Amino acid sequence: RLDGGDPYEIARTNAVLGQLLITSGKSIIGHDRLLQAQATFKALGARRDLAQLLTFRSRLESQRLP
């Protein structure tokens, strides 16, 4: 658990960790981390980081389609 630090850095860590978890097959935990990062990026106005995260999520969704 990542508590008590810089919210932006925690969100960046959650984003990277979420991506790693998803690509290693632990998608439920990974998606939770991505959602946490997404909420923080949005609250902080970190548009570039939010856009990168949303692009990753969009690519995941497109891979699931037949």
Side-chain angles (χ1 to χ4, degrees), residues 27-50:
S27 62
I28 294 173
I29 299 168
H31 282 289
D32 183 52
R33 294 288 182 155
L34 290 183
L35 288 174
Q36 291 174 34
Q38 182 176 336
T40 302
F41 289 150
K42 188 173 182 180
L44 295 174
R47 289 178 280 171
R48 186 184 72 197
D49 296 282
L50 181 60

Side-chain angles (χ1 to χ4, degrees), residues 3 7 10 15 23 25 29 31-32 36 39 41 52 57 64:
D3 290 328
I10 292 170
T23 57
I29 299 168
H31 282 289
D32 183 52
Q36 291 174 34
F41 289 150
Q52 289 173 344
R57 292 188 67 195
R64 290 184 186 162

Side-chain angles (χ1 to χ4, degrees), residues 3 7 12-13 15-16 21 26 39 42 55 60-61 64-65:
D3 290 328
R12 285 186 47 171
T13 301
V16 171
L21 287 165
K26 297 181 180 184
K42 188 173 182 180
T55 298
L60 280 179
E61 291 299 319
R64 290 184 186 162
L65 298 174

